[in-house]
Each structure stands twice: as C-alpha cells, then as structure tokens.
C-alpha cells in the first residue's frame, strides 16, 4: 500500500522482548545496530529500540499520541509512513 518495502531488509511483528529480538535480527542478517531502524507507535517501542542501540522512529498513527511519543525522545518522529523516505 505504501510501497516502502523496498527500503527494508526485514520487517518483524509481535515480540515479547523487542530489544533482544532487534539484536538477534541484526546478528542473523549481519546488519550493524548502527544501520538498523526501529519504527514504533508506543513509548515502550522507543525504549526497546534505545535499549538495543538502534535508531528509533516514533510514528503518531498508532497507540500513543504525538506528545507522549515526543516525551520518549525518539531519534525521529513521523506522522505518516511516507515520511520514512526522508529518513532512510
């Protein structure tokens, strides 16, 4: 729908320990954490990305409001997936 799949190596859904899974995925695919982007719609997503040491992107179309996401200090904050093109 958004035609952004070409910008991603891996898309990963539901997880019990997102930070740990981010590190695992990075190792499996031999992608440095410094080249990994984690997009989340909640403050716990942003916290997991920061714990894993990856670049975090908060998106305001989901669980938490823009204001709440801003408080978690993601590396980037977007309102629409199309804005990822400017980040990657």
């Amino acid at each position: 729908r958004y035609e952004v799949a070409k910008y991603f190596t891996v898309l990963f859904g539901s997880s019990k320990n997102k930070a740990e899974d981010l590190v695992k995925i990075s190792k499996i695919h031999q992608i440095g954490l410094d080249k990994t982007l984690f997009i989340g719609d909640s403050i716990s997503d942003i916290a997991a990305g920061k714990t894993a040491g990856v670049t975090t992107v908060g998106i305001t179309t989901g669980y938490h409001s823009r204001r709440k996401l801003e408080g978690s200090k993601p590396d980037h904050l977007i309102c629409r997936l199309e804005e990822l093109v400017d980040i990657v």
Side-chain angles (χ1 to χ4, degrees), residues 49-76:
K50 289 182 175 293
T51 297
V54 302
T55 299
T56 56
V57 180
I59 186 163
T60 62
T61 59
Y63 190 74
H64 282 134
S65 68
R66 177 181 190 89
R67 186 175 184 175
K68 196 151 196 162
L69 285 169
E70 285 173 338
S72 67
K73 300 186 187 316
D75 297 301
H76 304 277

Side-chain angles (χ1 to χ4, degrees), residues 16-84:
K16 291 186 190 264
N17 187 331
K18 293 176 184 179
E20 185 178 290
D21 288 343
L22 284 165
V23 173
K24 284 181 189 175
I25 291 166
S26 176
K27 286 180 182 178
I28 289 168
H29 294 280
Q30 298 178 343
I31 300 167
L33 293 172
D34 62 324
K35 300 210 183 298
T36 302
L37 187 72
F38 185 53
I39 304 158
D41 64 354
S42 72
I43 58 173
S44 62
D45 289 339
I46 303 307
K50 289 182 175 293
T51 297
V54 302
T55 299
T56 56
V57 180
I59 186 163
T60 62
T61 59
Y63 190 74
H64 282 134
S65 68
R66 177 181 190 89
R67 186 175 184 175
K68 196 151 196 162
L69 285 169
E70 285 173 338
S72 67
K73 300 186 187 316
D75 297 301
H76 304 277
L77 187 61
I78 60 175
C79 297
R80 298 182 339 261
L81 283 175
E82 294 88 349
E83 295 174 65
L84 285 173

